[in-house]
Amino acid sequence: MIIGKSRKELEKMRAAGRLIGLVREELRGMVVPGITTLELDRAAEKMIRDGGALPTFKGYHGFPYSICASVNEQIVHGFPSNYKLKDGDIFSMDLGATLAGFVGDTATTIPVGQVSEDLLQMIRVADECLERAIEQCRAGRHLGDIGWAVQEHAERHGYSIVRDYVGHGIGRKMHEDPQIPNYGTPGKGAKIKNGYVFAVEPMINLGTHQTKALADGWTVVTLDGKPSVHCEHTIAVTEEGPEVLTRVTQEVRQEQLQAAGV
Ligand code: MG
């Protein structure tokens, strides 16, 4: 069952989304050659806790860290480690915060230092896929419209769509109904209503769409070892249209600086 959110609940989800969006942007600024993904994990956990929230991922089905840190051919669910990010890597991080009982979930792929034009293009296309999917998060559209928006754009640019992992409804729990695949048929699937909140997360690969899990039981990589890109926003369906709860606008940034007394 898809659980629509009340106005009050949406207000709490806005706060959770805003916090984790800000943490994502702070971390983005820290991604330079030489930093370890464990250092980024620690920084994320501190910022989330300082914001009065809990790192949603930590302990989720036993996941031991606050962020998922996936490098190059790693698609999702990578463990932060002592691996030092290096020039030319692409670094995907996925992170969540639970604030006042509600979850915000977001992901992004960040180029480390100087990255090849091919990989930069792939990141751009994934971001465009997400924006196109967001446009479909409107009352009266169908879940298949979201999936199709991602699939059509990615495949047109020659990338494959990961099928084994999907987006999801979100609220008091990180993973709620419905599942939101990054592929679909326009006009098919459940009808979208106001009050629904979705985590939409395109995962696109340079080569095959096929995946495998590593021996740690978590890290998911591409079967052919070619790179993968991931991005995600938490989006509320409102009467005014899609509201991206994890987007950090100039306005949000300004408020944050004021609150910090800068
Ligand atoms: Mg998610």
Side-chain angles (χ1 to χ4, degrees), residues 94 105 168 175 199 201 232:
D94 193 346
D105 187 8
H168 47 94
H175 293 126
E201 44 183 323
E232 176 182 27

Side-chain angles (χ1 to χ4, degrees), residues 24-36:
R24 182 195 64 231
E25 292 313 306
E26 287 300 316
L27 291 172
R28 188 192 301 280
M30 295 172 66
V31 172
V32 290
I35 194 163
T36 71

Side-chain angles (χ1 to χ4, degrees), residues 86-179:
K86 61 177 199 306
D87 215 39
D89 281 345
I90 53 170
F91 171 60
S92 301
M93 63 178 182
D94 193 346
L95 56 162
T98 307
L99 181 64
F102 287 87
V103 182
D105 187 8
T106 185
T108 187
T109 296
I110 303 162
V112 183
Q114 290 287 85
V115 168
S116 73
E117 185 49 43
D118 283 0
L119 290 176
L120 290 177
Q121 163 76 359
M122 198 171 158
I123 292 172
R124 271 197 296 273
V125 170
D127 287 338
E128 288 164 6
C129 286
L130 181 53
E131 292 304 322
R132 282 162 183 258
I134 289 166
E135 271 309 302
Q136 299 302 320
C137 294
R138 295 173 183 276
R141 305 278 167 92
H142 295 258
L143 292 181
D145 297 326
I146 299 177
W148 173 243
V150 175
Q151 180 180 14
E152 191 275 326
H153 192 67
E155 291 182 348
R156 184 150 47 85
H157 286 84
Y159 304 113
S160 66
I161 295 290
V162 171
R163 284 152 189 275
D164 298 341
Y165 302 87
V166 297
H168 47 94
I170 182 167
R172 289 186 183 275
K173 284 192 273 178
M174 177 157 62
H175 293 126
E176 295 185 353
D177 284 340
Q179 292 202 335

